[in-house]
mmCIF file of all heavy atoms in Angstrom:
data_model
loop_
_atom_site.group_PDB
_atom_site.id
_atom_site.type_symbol
_atom_site.label_atom_id
_atom_site.label_comp_id
_atom_site.label_asym_id
_atom_site.label_seq_id
_atom_site.Cartn_x
_atom_site.Cartn_y
_atom_site.Cartn_z
ATOM 1 N N ALA R 1 0.814 -1.232 0.011
ATOM 2 C CA ALA R 1 0.016 0.006 0.018
ATOM 3 C C ALA R 1 0.837 1.257 -0.002
ATOM 4 O O ALA R 1 0.305 2.380 0.013
ATOM 5 C CB ALA R 1 -0.926 -0.009 1.259
ATOM 6 N N THR R 2 2.146 1.130 -0.022
ATOM 7 C CA THR R 2 3.061 2.292 0.101
ATOM 8 C C THR R 2 3.491 2.808 -1.288
ATOM 9 O O THR R 2 3.944 2.029 -2.107
ATOM 10 C CB THR R 2 4.289 1.950 0.904
ATOM 11 O OG1 THR R 2 3.902 1.436 2.163
ATOM 12 C CG2 THR R 2 5.177 3.175 1.114
ATOM 13 N N ASP R 3 3.325 4.110 -1.490
ATOM 14 C CA ASP R 3 3.740 4.707 -2.759
ATOM 15 C C ASP R 3 5.255 5.022 -2.672
ATOM 16 O O ASP R 3 5.702 5.775 -1.816
ATOM 17 C CB ASP R 3 2.979 6.054 -2.971
ATOM 18 C CG ASP R 3 3.278 6.718 -4.280
ATOM 19 O OD1 ASP R 3 4.264 6.303 -4.974
ATOM 20 O OD2 ASP R 3 2.588 7.670 -4.662
ATOM 21 N N VAL R 4 6.046 4.386 -3.558
ATOM 22 C CA VAL R 4 7.502 4.554 -3.471
ATOM 23 C C VAL R 4 7.987 5.157 -4.791
ATOM 24 O O VAL R 4 9.208 5.061 -5.075
ATOM 25 C CB VAL R 4 8.208 3.226 -3.160
ATOM 26 C CG1 VAL R 4 7.867 2.745 -1.805
ATOM 27 C CG2 VAL R 4 7.912 2.139 -4.179
ATOM 28 N N LEU R 5 7.146 5.796 -5.568
ATOM 29 C CA LEU R 5 7.577 6.373 -6.805
ATOM 30 C C LEU R 5 8.638 7.481 -6.605
ATOM 31 O O LEU R 5 9.641 7.522 -7.298
ATOM 32 C CB LEU R 5 6.401 6.950 -7.572
ATOM 33 C CG LEU R 5 6.682 7.668 -8.905
ATOM 34 C CD1 LEU R 5 7.315 6.687 -9.922
ATOM 35 C CD2 LEU R 5 5.422 8.317 -9.468
ATOM 36 N N ASN R 6 8.398 8.323 -5.623
ATOM 37 C CA ASN R 6 9.300 9.455 -5.356
ATOM 38 C C ASN R 6 10.060 9.333 -4.018
ATOM 39 O O ASN R 6 10.723 10.269 -3.610
ATOM 40 C CB ASN R 6 8.508 10.768 -5.348
ATOM 41 C CG ASN R 6 7.938 11.099 -6.673
ATOM 42 O OD1 ASN R 6 8.626 11.099 -7.708
ATOM 43 N ND2 ASN R 6 6.615 11.286 -6.718
ATOM 44 N N GLY R 7 9.936 8.177 -3.386
ATOM 45 C CA GLY R 7 10.549 7.970 -2.061
ATOM 46 C C GLY R 7 11.315 6.658 -1.994
ATOM 47 O O GLY R 7 11.497 5.990 -3.015
ATOM 48 N N ASN R 8 11.745 6.323 -0.818
ATOM 49 C CA ASN R 8 12.517 5.101 -0.606
ATOM 50 C C ASN R 8 11.624 3.889 -0.386
ATOM 51 O O ASN R 8 10.543 3.986 0.208
ATOM 52 C CB ASN R 8 13.435 5.288 0.588
ATOM 53 C CG ASN R 8 14.616 6.184 0.305
ATOM 54 O OD1 ASN R 8 14.965 6.435 -0.830
ATOM 55 N ND2 ASN R 8 15.200 6.742 1.372
ATOM 56 N N LEU R 9 12.118 2.750 -0.806
ATOM 57 C CA LEU R 9 11.540 1.465 -0.473
ATOM 58 C C LEU R 9 12.271 0.925 0.735
ATOM 59 O O LEU R 9 13.466 0.677 0.674
ATOM 60 C CB LEU R 9 11.701 0.498 -1.696
ATOM 61 C CG LEU R 9 11.427 -0.967 -1.445
ATOM 62 C CD1 LEU R 9 9.978 -1.194 -1.091
ATOM 63 C CD2 LEU R 9 11.806 -1.776 -2.687
ATOM 64 N N SER R 10 11.563 0.781 1.818
ATOM 65 C CA SER R 10 12.165 0.303 3.089
ATOM 66 C C SER R 10 11.902 -1.222 3.241
ATOM 67 O O SER R 10 10.732 -1.624 3.245
ATOM 68 C CB SER R 10 11.596 1.072 4.274
ATOM 69 O OG SER R 10 11.985 2.427 4.227
ATOM 70 N N ILE R 11 12.983 -1.963 3.362
ATOM 71 C CA ILE R 11 12.886 -3.430 3.503
ATOM 72 C C ILE R 11 13.353 -3.780 4.933
ATOM 73 O O ILE R 11 14.408 -3.368 5.380
ATOM 74 C CB ILE R 11 13.761 -4.119 2.472
ATOM 75 C CG1 ILE R 11 13.309 -3.800 1.045
ATOM 76 C CG2 ILE R 11 13.798 -5.650 2.681
ATOM 77 C CD1 ILE R 11 11.930 -4.293 0.712
ATOM 78 N N ASP R 12 12.549 -4.618 5.604
ATOM 79 C CA ASP R 12 12.969 -5.162 6.900
ATOM 80 C C ASP R 12 12.648 -6.661 6.890
ATOM 81 O O ASP R 12 12.010 -7.165 5.916
ATOM 82 C CB ASP R 12 12.353 -4.451 8.066
ATOM 83 C CG ASP R 12 10.830 -4.587 8.114
ATOM 84 O OD1 ASP R 12 10.332 -5.727 7.876
ATOM 85 O OD2 ASP R 12 10.115 -3.620 8.411
ATOM 86 N N PRO R 13 13.122 -7.421 7.865
ATOM 87 C CA PRO R 13 12.882 -8.879 7.822
ATOM 88 C C PRO R 13 11.429 -9.331 7.750
ATOM 89 O O PRO R 13 11.175 -10.460 7.396
ATOM 90 C CB PRO R 13 13.554 -9.327 9.141
ATOM 91 C CG PRO R 13 14.576 -8.313 9.437
ATOM 92 C CD PRO R 13 13.953 -7.020 8.998
ATOM 93 N N ARG R 14 10.520 -8.465 8.070
ATOM 94 C CA ARG R 14 9.110 -8.803 8.039
ATOM 95 C C ARG R 14 8.428 -8.488 6.728
ATOM 96 O O ARG R 14 7.248 -8.748 6.536
ATOM 97 C CB ARG R 14 8.364 -8.084 9.203
ATOM 98 C CG ARG R 14 8.883 -8.421 10.560
ATOM 99 C CD ARG R 14 8.372 -7.438 11.581
ATOM 100 N NE ARG R 14 8.896 -6.124 11.286
ATOM 101 C CZ ARG R 14 8.545 -5.026 11.984
ATOM 102 N NH1 ARG R 14 7.728 -5.099 12.984
ATOM 103 N NH2 ARG R 14 9.116 -3.826 11.666
ATOM 104 N N SER R 15 9.129 -7.832 5.798
ATOM 105 C CA SER R 15 8.512 -7.394 4.558
ATOM 106 C C SER R 15 8.013 -8.610 3.718
ATOM 107 O O SER R 15 8.767 -9.546 3.500
ATOM 108 C CB SER R 15 9.536 -6.581 3.709
ATOM 109 O OG SER R 15 9.944 -5.413 4.398
ATOM 110 N N SER R 16 6.808 -8.483 3.254
ATOM 111 C CA SER R 16 6.227 -9.593 2.441
ATOM 112 C C SER R 16 5.410 -9.008 1.259
ATOM 113 O O SER R 16 4.832 -9.769 0.539
ATOM 114 C CB SER R 16 5.314 -10.456 3.298
ATOM 115 O OG SER R 16 4.237 -9.684 3.886
ATOM 116 N N GLU R 17 5.441 -7.701 1.092
ATOM 117 C CA GLU R 17 4.668 -7.081 0.016
ATOM 118 C C GLU R 17 5.322 -7.296 -1.352
ATOM 119 O O GLU R 17 6.437 -7.709 -1.452
ATOM 120 C CB GLU R 17 4.484 -5.557 0.285
ATOM 121 C CG GLU R 17 3.605 -5.227 1.462
ATOM 122 C CD GLU R 17 4.390 -5.253 2.766
ATOM 123 O OE1 GLU R 17 5.595 -5.596 2.723
ATOM 124 O OE2 GLU R 17 3.837 -4.852 3.806
ATOM 125 N N ARG R 18 4.523 -6.986 -2.375
ATOM 126 C CA ARG R 18 5.009 -7.046 -3.781
ATOM 127 C C ARG R 18 5.180 -5.706 -4.333
ATOM 128 O O ARG R 18 4.515 -4.714 -3.923
ATOM 129 C CB ARG R 18 4.007 -7.864 -4.642
ATOM 130 C CG ARG R 18 3.904 -9.312 -4.304
ATOM 131 C CD ARG R 18 2.688 -9.915 -5.013
ATOM 132 N NE ARG R 18 2.733 -9.658 -6.437
ATOM 133 C CZ ARG R 18 3.288 -10.418 -7.376
ATOM 134 N NH1 ARG R 18 3.902 -11.540 -6.989
ATOM 135 N NH2 ARG R 18 3.264 -10.111 -8.663
ATOM 136 N N LEU R 19 6.077 -5.582 -5.297
ATOM 137 C CA LEU R 19 6.290 -4.361 -6.038
ATOM 138 C C LEU R 19 5.320 -4.311 -7.248
ATOM 139 O O LEU R 19 5.360 -5.262 -8.089
ATOM 140 C CB LEU R 19 7.714 -4.190 -6.521
ATOM 141 C CG LEU R 19 8.710 -3.469 -5.655
ATOM 142 C CD1 LEU R 19 10.138 -3.581 -6.263
ATOM 143 C CD2 LEU R 19 8.340 -2.017 -5.480
ATOM 144 N N ASP R 20 4.518 -3.301 -7.363
ATOM 145 C CA ASP R 20 3.636 -3.149 -8.494
ATOM 146 C C ASP R 20 4.022 -1.873 -9.236
ATOM 147 O O ASP R 20 3.890 -0.748 -8.707
ATOM 148 C CB ASP R 20 2.156 -3.046 -8.045
ATOM 149 C CG ASP R 20 1.653 -4.389 -7.522
ATOM 150 O OD1 ASP R 20 1.785 -5.394 -8.236
ATOM 151 O OD2 ASP R 20 1.138 -4.414 -6.411
ATOM 152 N N ILE R 21 4.524 -2.037 -10.479
ATOM 153 C CA ILE R 21 5.045 -0.954 -11.256
ATOM 154 C C ILE R 21 4.116 -0.781 -12.472
ATOM 155 O O ILE R 21 3.767 -1.737 -13.179
ATOM 156 C CB ILE R 21 6.462 -1.230 -11.783
ATOM 157 C CG1 ILE R 21 7.411 -1.408 -10.547
ATOM 158 C CG2 ILE R 21 6.945 -0.133 -12.661
ATOM 159 C CD1 ILE R 21 8.769 -1.894 -10.941
ATOM 160 N N VAL R 22 3.672 0.464 -12.674
ATOM 161 C CA VAL R 22 2.775 0.773 -13.806
ATOM 162 C C VAL R 22 3.512 1.747 -14.758
ATOM 163 O O VAL R 22 3.973 2.795 -14.328
ATOM 164 C CB VAL R 22 1.474 1.420 -13.373
ATOM 165 C CG1 VAL R 22 0.591 1.754 -14.539
ATOM 166 C CG2 VAL R 22 0.708 0.452 -12.427
ATOM 167 N N LEU R 23 3.638 1.340 -15.996
ATOM 168 C CA LEU R 23 4.171 2.229 -17.064
ATOM 169 C C LEU R 23 3.014 2.742 -17.907
ATOM 170 O O LEU R 23 2.059 1.980 -18.173
ATOM 171 C CB LEU R 23 5.182 1.444 -17.932
ATOM 172 C CG LEU R 23 6.323 0.744 -17.273
ATOM 173 C CD1 LEU R 23 7.192 0.076 -18.324
ATOM 174 C CD2 LEU R 23 7.165 1.676 -16.424
ATOM 175 N N SER R 24 3.107 3.950 -18.312
ATOM 176 C CA SER R 24 2.092 4.533 -19.211
ATOM 177 C C SER R 24 2.736 4.799 -20.546
ATOM 178 O O SER R 24 3.904 5.292 -20.629
ATOM 179 C CB SER R 24 1.541 5.840 -18.656
ATOM 180 O OG SER R 24 0.708 6.496 -19.624
ATOM 181 N N MET R 25 2.011 4.502 -21.655
ATOM 182 C CA MET R 25 2.500 4.750 -22.958
ATOM 183 C C MET R 25 2.130 6.157 -23.451
ATOM 184 O O MET R 25 2.322 6.521 -24.603
ATOM 185 C CB MET R 25 1.964 3.720 -23.971
ATOM 186 C CG MET R 25 2.420 2.308 -23.661
ATOM 187 S SD MET R 25 4.173 2.084 -23.681
ATOM 188 C CE MET R 25 4.592 2.502 -25.395
ATOM 189 N N ASN R 26 1.573 7.000 -22.567
ATOM 190 C CA ASN R 26 1.092 8.309 -22.916
ATOM 191 C C ASN R 26 2.129 9.386 -22.567
ATOM 192 O O ASN R 26 1.771 10.436 -22.075
ATOM 193 C CB ASN R 26 -0.236 8.602 -22.217
ATOM 194 C CG ASN R 26 -0.961 9.758 -22.819
ATOM 195 O OD1 ASN R 26 -0.786 10.101 -23.986
ATOM 196 N ND2 ASN R 26 -1.769 10.456 -22.016
ATOM 197 N N ALA R 27 3.403 9.061 -22.782
ATOM 198 C CA ALA R 27 4.427 10.049 -22.475
ATOM 199 C C ALA R 27 4.429 11.206 -23.439
ATOM 200 O O ALA R 27 3.942 11.103 -24.565
ATOM 201 C CB ALA R 27 5.801 9.360 -22.475
ATOM 202 N N GLY R 28 5.005 12.306 -22.989
ATOM 203 C CA GLY R 28 5.057 13.524 -23.826
ATOM 204 C C GLY R 28 6.330 13.558 -24.685
ATOM 205 O O GLY R 28 7.322 12.823 -24.415
ATOM 206 N N THR R 29 6.311 14.367 -25.687
ATOM 207 C CA THR R 29 7.424 14.627 -26.580
ATOM 208 C C THR R 29 7.693 16.107 -26.651
ATOM 209 O O THR R 29 6.746 16.906 -26.720
ATOM 210 C CB THR R 29 7.206 14.089 -27.968
ATOM 211 O OG1 THR R 29 6.988 12.655 -27.909
ATOM 212 C CG2 THR R 29 8.333 14.392 -28.909
ATOM 213 N N LEU R 30 8.978 16.526 -26.546
ATOM 214 C CA LEU R 30 9.344 17.929 -26.626
ATOM 215 C C LEU R 30 10.269 18.123 -27.804
ATOM 216 O O LEU R 30 11.290 17.482 -27.958
ATOM 217 C CB LEU R 30 10.039 18.384 -25.347
ATOM 218 C CG LEU R 30 10.591 19.779 -25.304
ATOM 219 C CD1 LEU R 30 9.471 20.782 -25.328
ATOM 220 C CD2 LEU R 30 11.435 19.984 -24.054
ATOM 221 N N GLU R 31 9.848 19.042 -28.704
ATOM 222 C CA GLU R 31 10.673 19.395 -29.874
ATOM 223 C C GLU R 31 11.051 20.866 -29.772
ATOM 224 O O GLU R 31 10.332 21.688 -29.256
ATOM 225 C CB GLU R 31 9.917 19.104 -31.143
ATOM 226 C CG GLU R 31 9.537 17.673 -31.385
ATOM 227 C CD GLU R 31 8.788 17.443 -32.643
ATOM 228 O OE1 GLU R 31 8.276 18.472 -33.250
ATOM 229 O OE2 GLU R 31 8.639 16.304 -33.067
ATOM 230 N N GLY R 32 12.270 21.174 -30.265
ATOM 231 C CA GLY R 32 12.729 22.551 -30.219
ATOM 232 C C GLY R 32 13.927 22.806 -31.115
ATOM 233 O O GLY R 32 14.386 21.885 -31.819
ATOM 234 N N VAL R 33 14.445 23.967 -31.007
ATOM 235 C CA VAL R 33 15.607 24.411 -31.791
ATOM 236 C C VAL R 33 16.538 25.195 -30.923
ATOM 237 O O VAL R 33 16.109 25.954 -30.059
ATOM 238 C CB VAL R 33 15.194 25.217 -33.029
ATOM 239 C CG1 VAL R 33 14.455 26.488 -32.618
ATOM 240 C CG2 VAL R 33 16.402 25.570 -33.877
ATOM 241 N N VAL R 34 17.858 24.965 -31.066
ATOM 242 C CA VAL R 34 18.859 25.723 -30.335
ATOM 243 C C VAL R 34 19.467 26.777 -31.249
ATOM 244 O O VAL R 34 19.986 26.404 -32.341
ATOM 245 C CB VAL R 34 19.929 24.773 -29.767
ATOM 246 C CG1 VAL R 34 21.028 25.566 -29.058
ATOM 247 C CG2 VAL R 34 19.295 23.774 -28.832
ATOM 248 N N LEU R 35 19.469 28.026 -30.804
ATOM 249 C CA LEU R 35 19.989 29.133 -31.586
ATOM 250 C C LEU R 35 21.126 29.810 -30.802
ATOM 251 O O LEU R 35 21.056 29.841 -29.544
ATOM 252 C CB LEU R 35 18.922 30.179 -31.882
ATOM 253 C CG LEU R 35 17.658 29.644 -32.587
ATOM 254 C CD1 LEU R 35 16.633 30.798 -32.722
ATOM 255 C CD2 LEU R 35 17.955 29.066 -33.927
ATOM 256 N N ASN R 36 22.095 30.341 -31.469
ATOM 257 C CA ASN R 36 23.132 31.127 -30.807
ATOM 258 C C ASN R 36 22.672 32.579 -30.673
ATOM 259 O O ASN R 36 21.541 32.944 -31.037
ATOM 260 C CB ASN R 36 24.476 31.017 -31.560
ATOM 261 C CG ASN R 36 24.394 31.569 -32.978
ATOM 262 O OD1 ASN R 36 23.502 32.336 -33.331
ATOM 263 N ND2 ASN R 36 25.361 31.170 -33.827
ATOM 264 N N LYS R 37 23.521 33.434 -30.157
ATOM 265 C CA LYS R 37 23.137 34.816 -29.887
ATOM 266 C C LYS R 37 22.817 35.588 -31.165
ATOM 267 O O LYS R 37 22.187 36.643 -31.081
ATOM 268 C CB LYS R 37 24.217 35.518 -29.069
ATOM 269 C CG LYS R 37 25.555 35.630 -29.777
ATOM 270 C CD LYS R 37 26.584 36.299 -28.872
ATOM 271 C CE LYS R 37 27.951 36.409 -29.555
ATOM 272 N NZ LYS R 37 28.964 37.049 -28.654
ATOM 273 N N SER R 38 23.269 35.074 -32.284
ATOM 274 C CA SER R 38 22.940 35.689 -33.581
ATOM 275 C C SER R 38 21.704 35.076 -34.202
ATOM 276 O O SER R 38 21.394 35.357 -35.375
ATOM 277 C CB SER R 38 24.150 35.533 -34.531
ATOM 278 O OG SER R 38 25.299 36.148 -34.023
#
């Protein structure tokens, strides 16, 4: 029941939980151009 996306996963000898990882295919894309001072 613990959210560990942005924090630590704490393991002790009594730990019996499972890791549930969800990936999303709805990621963003960033396009741009780099220009010099001219």
Side-chain angles (χ1 to χ4, degrees):
T2 305
D3 185 349
V4 296
L5 178 63
N6 296 306
N8 287 340
L9 167 64
S10 295
I11 299 295
D12 64 42
R14 299 165 297 177
S15 297
S16 60
E17 291 85 355
R18 292 170 51 91
L19 267 175
D20 291 307
I21 300 171
V22 178
L23 306 181
S24 172
M25 298 301 297
N26 194 28
T29 298
L30 176 66
E31 297 179 346
V33 61
V34 177
L35 306 175
N36 61 20
K37 62 183 180 181
S38 300

